[in-house]
């Protein structure tokens, strides 16, 4: 069974109405330090291999049956992502969804969130800022 690094929330809370397939969580993990991490249109994360200024990105490692990968996960991914391989902090190589910059549209909002460590951290940051008016008493 292939191992897959996931770092968004589509496997937990898919945009599609059907129930997500059960995935076997192997545990939390991090990438090696040669990736940048982006939020695309605040909708999904994109992991990008880089040769400089890379960071370790937090995620989770799963065992995913080939059929689930092929029939459920890959078809649900945004067109800006493609299946590839990444290196984890422990030196092992696993599957992951990688950002393909050439598939981005000119007006797409893309935010570098590598310093936040993970997409869920970014989503929490956005949620906290949505409540900013309340905090400021406006």
């Amino acid at each position: 069974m292939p191992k897959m690094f996931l770092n968004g929330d589509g496997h937990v809370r898919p945009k599609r109405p059907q129930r997500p397939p059960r995935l076997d969580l192997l545990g939390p993990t991090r990438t090696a330090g040669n990736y940048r991490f982006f939020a695309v249109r605040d909708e999904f994360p994109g992991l990008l291999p880089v040769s400089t200024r890379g960071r370790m990105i937090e995620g989770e490692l799963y065992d995913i049956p080939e059929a689930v990968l092929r029939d459920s996960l890959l078809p649900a991914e945004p067109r800006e992502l493609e299946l590839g391989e990444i290196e984890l902090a422990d030196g092992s190589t696993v599957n992951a969804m990688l950002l393909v910059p050439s598939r981005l549209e000119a007006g797409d909002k893309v935010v570098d969130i590598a310093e936040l460590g993970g997409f869920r951290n970014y989503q929490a940051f956005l949620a906290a800022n949505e409540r900013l008016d309340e905090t400021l008493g406006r």
Side-chain angles (χ1 to χ4, degrees):
M1 208 174 324
K3 289 182 175 51
M4 181 119 181
F5 176 84
L6 297 175
N7 56 355
D9 65 355
H11 58 289
V12 176
R13 191 171 23 117
K15 293 188 188 304
R16 299 187 304 168
Q18 77 252 23
R19 185 177 176 90
R22 185 181 176 289
L23 304 178
D24 293 326
L25 174 64
L26 299 175
T29 191
R30 294 188 308 169
T31 67
N34 51 339
Y35 297 91
R36 293 306 290 182
F37 197 47
F38 301 93
V40 180
R41 299 184 301 274
D42 293 340
E43 296 172 11
F44 61 90
L47 189 62
L48 184 69
V50 295
S51 57
T52 61
R53 297 183 49 240
R55 299 287 183 271
M56 291 180 157
I57 305 301
E58 299 172 15
E60 298 168 338
L61 191 61
Y62 290 85
D63 259 336
I64 300 182
E66 293 274 354
V68 171
L69 182 62
R70 180 188 64 240
D71 299 335
S72 296
L73 289 178
L74 292 179
E77 292 292 343
R79 69 175 290 284
E80 295 88 351
L81 303 178
E82 70 180 8
L83 184 64
E85 290 186 337
I86 64 164
E87 181 184 356
L88 296 180
D90 67 7
S92 63
T93 301
V94 299
N95 290 323
M97 298 307 297
L98 300 176
L99 181 64
V100 181
S102 63
R103 294 182 185 169
L104 294 167
E105 298 292 327
D108 282 344
K109 176 183 176 185
V110 180
V111 177
D112 186 337
I113 61 173
E115 300 303 326
L116 295 174
F119 190 62
R120 291 183 191 134
N121 295 345
Y122 177 66
Q123 290 174 314
F125 174 80
L126 290 178
N129 279 283
E130 286 177 1
R131 297 185 299 273
L132 193 55
D133 281 340
E134 179 183 319
T135 303
L136 295 172
R138 297 192 293 182

